[in-house]
Amino acid sequence: MPFPTSDTLASFGTYIRFQTLGQTLAERYPELAHRIEVAETAPFYLKVDLDGKRGVMLAHVRFPYTIMWGLTGPGLAAGTSVLPLDTSEEALVDAVHAHVTAHLTSTPLPSPWRWHESEHSDLTELADLLDAQGVAVRRVAAGNRYSLHGPAYAPELVSPRHPSPHVDATVDGHEVRISLKPRLGWMVDLWCPEVDLWTRIDLNRSLGRPLSPVPGVPQAALSVDDLAELIGDGPRAWEIEEVGHIKEERAIGSGSLGYQDLFLTVLGQLGTFGFTDVYEGDTENPLRSEHFHIALHRPEKDLSAPALKALNGEAAAAGDDVPKRLMVITRSGLSKPAAAFADQAKAFVFQIDERTGRLTGLHGRAREVLPPRDKPDCQ
């Protein structure tokens, strides 16, 4: 008797997985037991019958580079949730139950499943509050960063492009992205279609609070209710930063920006990011700040951890009453140990493209202050 092939073993493993899901669903929600159907042969699926014709189905969905869980009801792709293959059994079962119950009782799908999420979070709570105010919530990306885009007959998988949990919404015709950054807290970005760029809403000024020299508002310092109310109030309540425009397209061979133009471009970006006390200096120190010690690093070699620690020591000594924090503008890169130290020291290290003046974050904390690069999905 020949040994089973790897494909046969994989198929059997998938079959067992679906059988286990069916059993777990019946045990957790016995009122659905008589409605559950699990396919005995490939393609495998778990189906919960609704009325003898329609049902809620959980199955594997193959995309060009990955396989996902697909959870769909009678509405087909319009209501399909796609979840990572490592989603827990409990989360999958609860999601199926939520969809089935909504259809059987003719009630809206509850949160967090209505947002294609499997767990409650500050982001799903924010989405609920915005929706209650009449704000069109287009996407929630918290625990689940995947969604479908395109026509129902040929949906495309949208993979995680934005590094932080966020909510995308349309407020009075304006596209906003509310992000919860791991290190810096809440940030809100506003899409400016006239220049095809994002700019930032200053949350502290909008809320009538003292300015912060660092972008973002710590999660503990701003309740979800207050944030939702501010967003729902619309543009009339928002203090919006000016767009730091960058000339992306320059003639080949045109070289770097002039010294003054380069740092004016950098200054504009830092203002857009939300650094509120960085201002124009002189020829020797083109960027100044009361809160930051801003160092320019010109060597071609990547900035090392010892070099960054030395600069951090200079920053600490630069303050009159309290130590200053470090900000570095460099044309080189950053070593991994230096990146780890930069996050630990709450510093910001940006790489500068001398042809355009564009700043790129070289470690986690610096990347968190950058506005999104992608356009809103609706564009």
Side-chain angles (χ1 to χ4, degrees):
M1 178 177 168
F3 191 80
T5 64
S6 58
D7 288 344
T8 300
L9 291 174
S11 179
F12 182 72
T14 302
Y15 166 76
I16 294 298
R17 182 76 189 276
F18 276 92
Q19 288 289 334
T20 302
L21 283 168
Q23 293 170 8
T24 303
L25 179 60
E27 291 170 0
R28 287 171 69 95
Y29 304 103
E31 72 276 9
L32 300 182
H34 67 288
R35 298 177 179 271
I36 298 171
E37 173 189 343
V38 179
E40 298 288 334
T41 58
F44 298 109
Y45 61 84
L46 183 155
K47 180 181 178 182
V48 181
D49 179 66
L50 298 176
D51 55 14
K53 296 180 180 179
R54 304 177 307 157
V56 171
M57 183 177 293
L58 178 69
H60 283 169
V61 183
R62 293 182 179 274
F63 293 96
Y65 302 105
T66 188
I67 300 174
M68 305 287 291
W69 288 107
L71 175 60
T72 187
L76 297 178
T80 298
S81 290
V82 284
L83 302 166
L85 212 56
D86 61 357
T87 302
S88 71
E89 184 176 291
E90 292 76 13
L92 291 171
V93 165
D94 288 345
V96 171
H97 174 259
H99 280 73
V100 171
T101 302
H103 286 295
L104 290 176
T105 59
S106 299
T107 57
L109 187 65
S111 185
W113 300 280
R114 64 177 301 197
W115 308 119
H116 306 288
E117 291 286 323
S118 56
E119 295 183 357
H120 291 282
S121 66
D122 283 350
L123 275 300
T124 59
E125 181 184 352
L126 175 64
D128 291 339
L129 292 169
L130 291 174
D131 180 71
Q133 297 180 70
V135 172
V137 177
R138 296 190 294 99
R139 176 162 161 72
V140 177
N144 178 28
R145 309 293 182 86
Y146 294 89
S147 63
L148 295 180
H149 184 69
Y153 59 84
E156 297 180 1
L157 180 68
V158 178
S159 59
R161 290 180 299 172
H162 194 261
S164 300
H166 64 277
V167 172
D168 287 338
T170 304
V171 187
D172 295 339
H174 297 268
E175 301 301 321
V176 295
R177 174 167 291 176
I178 308 107
S179 301
L180 183 55
K181 309 286 185 173
R183 300 170 182 84
L184 297 175
W186 293 109
M187 289 186 190
V188 181
D189 293 295
L190 173 68
W191 175 250
C192 301
E194 63 276 9
V195 290
D196 272 0
L197 290 171
W198 293 88
T199 191
R200 185 150 290 158
I201 296 172
D202 189 316
L203 291 177
N204 284 309
R205 283 197 298 154
S206 299
L207 292 165
R209 299 180 177 184
L211 291 181
S212 169
V214 181
V217 177
Q219 187 175 3
L222 178 58
S223 72
V224 176
D225 294 83
D226 288 345
L227 177 59
E229 183 178 355
L230 173 65
I231 300 302
D233 284 343
R236 67 180 184 277
W238 304 340
E239 294 290 342
I240 302 169
E241 301 288 358
E242 293 186 7
V243 179
H245 191 65
I246 302 167
K247 297 179 180 179
E248 292 283 14
E249 297 183 2
R250 291 173 54 78
I252 296 176
S254 61
S256 303
L257 286 172
Y259 186 83
Q260 184 175 9
D261 287 342
L262 182 67
F263 282 100
L264 287 177
T265 301
V266 170
L267 183 62
Q269 289 174 85
L270 292 175
T272 299
F273 297 167
F275 291 101
T276 59
D277 80 331
V278 179
Y279 51 93
E280 186 176 359
D282 51 29
T283 303
E284 183 178 354
N285 296 298
L287 299 173
R288 291 184 175 273
S289 168
E290 300 300 322
H291 185 81
F292 288 97
H293 173 69
I294 303 176
L296 307 179
H297 179 256
R298 295 184 175 89
E300 298 293 342
K301 186 178 179 181
D302 285 356
L303 193 58
S304 66
L308 190 64
K309 289 177 181 178
L311 289 174
N312 195 58
E314 293 178 11
D320 293 329
D321 299 319
V322 295
K324 286 190 174 184
R325 287 172 60 175
L326 177 65
M327 181 185 295
V328 180
I329 310 295
T330 178
R331 64 183 182 187
S332 64
L334 193 65
S335 70
K336 287 185 178 180
F341 176 76
D343 282 330
Q344 179 185 358
K346 296 181 172 59
F348 293 92
V349 184
F350 299 103
Q351 186 179 52
I352 186 171
D353 181 341
E354 294 186 338
R355 295 184 66 252
T356 64
R358 176 176 288 281
L359 297 177
T360 302
L362 291 179
H363 57 104
R365 185 173 294 271
R367 283 190 288 269
E368 285 188 8
V369 305
L370 303 179
R373 293 291 301 274
D374 55 314
K375 294 183 178 182
D377 291 341
C378 60
Q379 296 295 308

